[in-house]
Amino acid sequence: QVQLVESGGGSVQAGGSLRLSCAASGDTDRTYCMGWFRQAPGKGREGVAFIYTGGVSTLYADSVKGRFTISHDNAKNTLYLQMNSVKPEDTAMYYCAAENRWCGSWYRDETAYKYWGQGTRVTVSS
């Protein structure tokens, strides 16, 4: 079992930056595929960035590539999402998720993730 708690959301103007954090507790000695998903009002959940805690590879949705950076601090058991050059379309509730296996071909599938945080809201104004 692992528990995830997001923080760092808030309001920011377009072009600005924000850093989200996701603190993990519980069975953190294992390695996980971890991801950031977001859900805008009236839309489905979208995966935006992914990382395997046992390696260095990262994966991004085209919509955020070059603007967002995902990272993981193993010593702090914390996942981050650095959001730069944000746009109004980045407005959403952001969730972190974890699954105890390598990020395989399933990594964009939200139903494949067992552990979820409660979400943190990001609002980008134009």
Side-chain angles (χ1 to χ4, degrees):
Q1 293 279 350
V2 66
Q3 293 77 44
L4 304 173
V5 179
E6 302 97 333
S7 61
S11 296
V12 61
Q13 288 194 325
S17 297
L18 209 59
R19 189 175 82 156
L20 306 184
S21 299
C22 172
S25 60
D27 195 3
T28 56
D29 287 340
R30 298 174 181 262
T31 53
Y32 294 84
C33 181
M34 298 193 74
W36 286 99
F37 289 79
R38 67 185 181 186
Q39 187 165 19
K43 295 189 176 181
R45 196 168 292 188
E46 172 194 22
V48 296
F50 305 87
I51 190 168
Y52 178 58
T53 63
V56 297
S57 296
T58 55
L59 302 156
Y60 296 94
D62 288 343
S63 57
V64 305
K65 201 172 294 183
R67 300 188 299 120
F68 291 8
T69 302
I70 189 171
S71 61
H72 184 265
D73 186 328
N74 287 339
K76 295 182 178 180
N77 295 316
T78 302
L79 180 74
Y80 301 99
L81 184 69
Q82 178 66 43
M83 306 168 61
N84 297 331
S85 302
V86 296
K87 304 175 180 180
E89 51 263 45
D90 294 323
T91 295
M93 184 72 84
Y94 283 73
Y95 302 88
C96 69
E99 174 62 21
N100 179 213
R101 47 179 168 149
W102 166 256
C103 296
S105 58
W106 52 268
Y107 72 92
R108 286 194 177 94
D109 181 1
E110 63 175 292
T111 65
Y113 291 82
K114 182 175 182 179
Y115 304 105
W116 289 85
Q118 83 290 348
T120 186
R121 186 172 300 279
V122 172
T123 302
V124 182
S125 57
S126 57

